[in-house]
Amino acid sequence: MNILVVLANPKETCFTRDVCATFCSEAHARGHEIVLRDLYAMNFNPVASAADITGNLRGNVAQDVALEQEYVQRSNVIALIHPIWWIDRPAILKGYIDRVFALGFAYGYGPNGTRGSLSGKRGVLITSSGSTQEHFNESGKMKAVEVAQDLGTMEFCDIKMLGHLHFAPLGSRSTPTMVEGYHARVRDFVRSRL
Ligand SMILES: Cc1cc2nc3c(=O)[nH]c(=O)nc-3n(C[C@H](O)[C@H](O)[C@H](O)COP(=O)(O)O)c2cc1C
């Protein structure tokens, strides 16, 4: 399968980058083709302009967006890999969604309202937080992330979710053994779901 991996973390050394490498190498070893879009390394412009919002409807799409849309179009699986920042995506990834998953490309209007246009594609989310999984579950934060991302982005565009791996805690409350376990979960996921 063609897997588009979109990575968002500015740090050169971080869990997100490591776990992305684990995901890509496991998928590559199983014969999948990977296209990695490292948004910070690309210096991707995340600010949607008025022209971007209607670009696909008018057939006048900014060059950088058209390139990313080509990668989306060619993919069978789209994997978004990022840390949780303020119970959300880093702004650069939010802006990538705003500009690339645009009206007329990723969704459109049908007789019953909006309709996703990326049917047939599958989605993967890999996220992490400083807080524990228990805190995320009990506080409703996990639900908030899932509603915004699994439902509000992927399913909205008719991308069927293969899975959302959330790793917590990361940072001062995680141990090397816990982190190794997180990587093992990613390898298991690739083997069993892709
Ligand atoms: C700007 C910023 C906002 C953050 N917001 C949250 C948050 O809302 N909830 C949380 O549990 N952790 C939060 N964190 C912690 C990160 O999620 C955590 O450090 C990250 O998942 C570790 O992955 P990394 O090594 O790839 O950066 C935040 C970190 C930063 C830098």
Side-chain angles (χ1 to χ4, degrees):
M1 283 196 291
N2 291 326
I3 306 180
L4 171 63
V5 177
V6 182
L7 168 66
N9 195 316
K11 292 188 279 184
E12 276 179 24
T13 308
C14 61
F15 173 75
T16 305
R17 209 163 272 284
D18 291 347
V19 92
C20 178
T22 297
F23 178 86
C24 292
S25 68
E26 191 65 36
H28 183 71
R30 302 186 72 77
H32 299 296
E33 294 286 330
I34 313 285
V35 171
L36 173 62
R37 306 303 286 156
D38 180 342
L39 298 182
Y40 281 98
M42 290 155 53
N43 200 23
F44 181 77
N45 169 20
V47 181
S49 66
D52 286 334
I53 290 167
T54 54
N56 283 94
L57 297 181
R58 292 180 291 105
N60 185 13
V61 180
Q63 221 173 353
D64 61 338
V65 171
L67 177 64
E68 300 312 315
Q69 289 181 342
E70 220 174 288
Y71 287 125
V72 170
Q73 209 57 282
R74 280 194 227 141
S75 69
N76 308 109
V77 174
I78 300 167
L80 307 180
I81 306 183
H82 66 90
I84 294 296
W85 283 4
W86 301 109
I87 324 173
D88 205 334
R89 300 157 262 218
I92 200 168
L93 178 57
K94 174 61 167 51
Y96 168 94
I97 300 294
D98 291 344
R99 296 188 68 216
V100 177
F101 283 34
L103 174 63
F105 173 73
Y107 67 98
Y109 292 115
N112 303 315
T114 53
R115 196 169 51 187
S117 309
L118 299 179
S119 315
K121 300 188 190 302
R122 299 284 178 266
V124 175
L125 285 161
I126 301 180
T127 56
S128 64
S129 61
S131 313
T132 63
Q133 187 68 60
E134 291 72 29
H135 170 74
F136 246 55
N137 292 343
E138 286 162 13
S139 62
K141 290 177 182 175
M142 196 67 233
K143 193 81 211 157
V145 168
E146 287 169 354
V147 168
Q149 301 197 29
D150 301 56
L151 198 61
T153 302
M154 297 295 214
E155 303 276 353
F156 180 78
C157 298
D158 206 24
I159 300 168
K160 294 276 171 289
M161 286 298 291
L162 287 175
H164 181 165
L165 298 175
H166 181 73
F167 297 109
L170 251 304
S172 58
R173 276 178 289 187
S174 62
T175 63
T177 310
M178 287 162 77
V179 173
E180 187 35 56
Y182 299 160
H183 285 276
R185 268 178 64 198
V186 170
R187 285 191 290 268
D188 280 353
F189 176 83
V190 172
R191 283 183 210 127
S192 60
R193 303 304 308 273
L194 292 186

